[in-house]
Amino acid sequence: VQLQASGGGLVQAGGSLRLSCVASGRTFSLYSMGWFRQAPGKEREFVARISWSGGTTVYADSVKGRFTISKDNAKNTLYLQMNSLKPEDTAVYYCAQDRLSRSSSPKWDYWGQGTQVTVSS
């Protein structure tokens, strides 16, 4: 399994970015996907996840209402639309894929390399 994240960059507070994560190696549509982030000096934290069917999305309270996770099975791509960005959103963002197919309790075994998001005040 390979996960390639992209789309990070430098943006002013209040701005928007869209992250992408292209997956390969397994049938993308069968696996739950997630986004995590790690700020300097902090532990990696959950941001959002989407079920393999796309019917369920879950968000961290800190991003609820501002971020939207989605996926395009035809393109094997996971997205994270980030709006109303805040300086505290600054972190390296990682995409992850579930260990098992069609699972309702994901175990994040596969990780992308991360993409840097920096939000200036």
Side-chain angles (χ1 to χ4, degrees):
V1 175
Q2 288 193 333
L3 303 174
Q4 183 70 39
S6 63
L10 173 63
V11 64
Q12 288 189 332
S16 298
L17 282 174
R18 189 176 80 157
L19 305 184
S20 299
C21 173
V22 179
S24 61
R26 301 197 294 181
T27 304
F28 180 75
S29 62
L30 298 181
Y31 297 90
S32 296
M33 299 291 296
W35 286 101
F36 293 76
R37 67 187 182 186
Q38 187 167 19
K42 295 187 177 182
E43 293 188 353
R44 189 174 298 187
E45 65 175 2
F46 167 78
V47 174
R49 64 178 173 92
I50 185 167
S51 63
W52 65 273
S53 67
T56 300
T57 56
V58 179
Y59 296 92
D61 287 343
S62 59
V63 307
K64 203 171 295 183
R66 301 187 298 121
F67 290 10
T68 303
I69 189 171
S70 62
K71 65 186 189 122
D72 185 334
N73 291 332
K75 295 182 178 180
N76 290 348
T77 302
L78 173 74
Y79 301 102
L80 185 69
Q81 178 67 43
M82 306 186 295
N83 298 329
S84 302
L85 282 162
K86 304 175 181 180
E88 50 263 44
D89 294 319
T90 295
V92 177
Y93 283 71
Y94 298 89
C95 54
Q97 189 176 73
D98 194 0
R99 173 191 308 168
L100 300 176
S101 63
R102 301 187 182 94
S103 172
S104 59
S105 300
K107 303 293 188 293
W108 308 110
D109 270 15
Y110 303 98
W111 295 84
Q113 86 288 1
T115 185
Q116 176 71 47
V117 172
T118 303
V119 184
S120 64
S121 57

